[in-house]
Amino acid sequence: MAWQVDALCAQTDPEAFFPEKGGSTRDAKKVCAACTVKQECLDYALSNDERFGIWGGLSERERRKLKKRAV
């Protein structure tokens, strides 16, 4: 996926995007907020049913809620 080349997360610690249960998502979301491919990332996660990690600035729970509202 071409958008991944421009993803800021590729230049940071990947562990921030896959926190332990109950761990903070703040650092990952801060990186996502400044990323130019945030929407492409979120679209990918939603269309591929990514269940873990921060994608497009949203946690697993936030993506689930977004999908439920879209149905």
Side-chain angles (χ1 to χ4, degrees):
M1 288 140 299
W3 61 266
Q4 288 182 326
V5 173
D6 297 323
L8 291 179
C9 61
Q11 304 165 27
T12 60
D13 179 10
E15 289 193 24
F17 294 88
F18 296 91
E20 295 289 325
K21 186 169 180 126
S24 176
T25 61
R26 186 178 313 136
D27 291 341
K29 287 182 175 187
K30 194 180 292 187
V31 171
C32 292
C35 188
T36 60
V37 294
K38 178 179 170 182
Q39 188 61 52
E40 290 90 334
C41 179
L42 180 57
D43 292 344
Y44 172 84
L46 292 172
S47 64
N48 289 283
D49 200 28
E50 287 289 345
R51 296 178 187 255
F52 302 101
I54 306 301
W55 291 81
L58 299 182
S59 67
E60 301 97 329
R61 179 179 292 154
E62 293 165 331
R63 290 193 306 275
R64 268 195 313 273
K65 286 181 183 178
L66 185 64
K67 274 189 126 172
K68 282 183 181 180
R69 277 186 265 156
V71 174

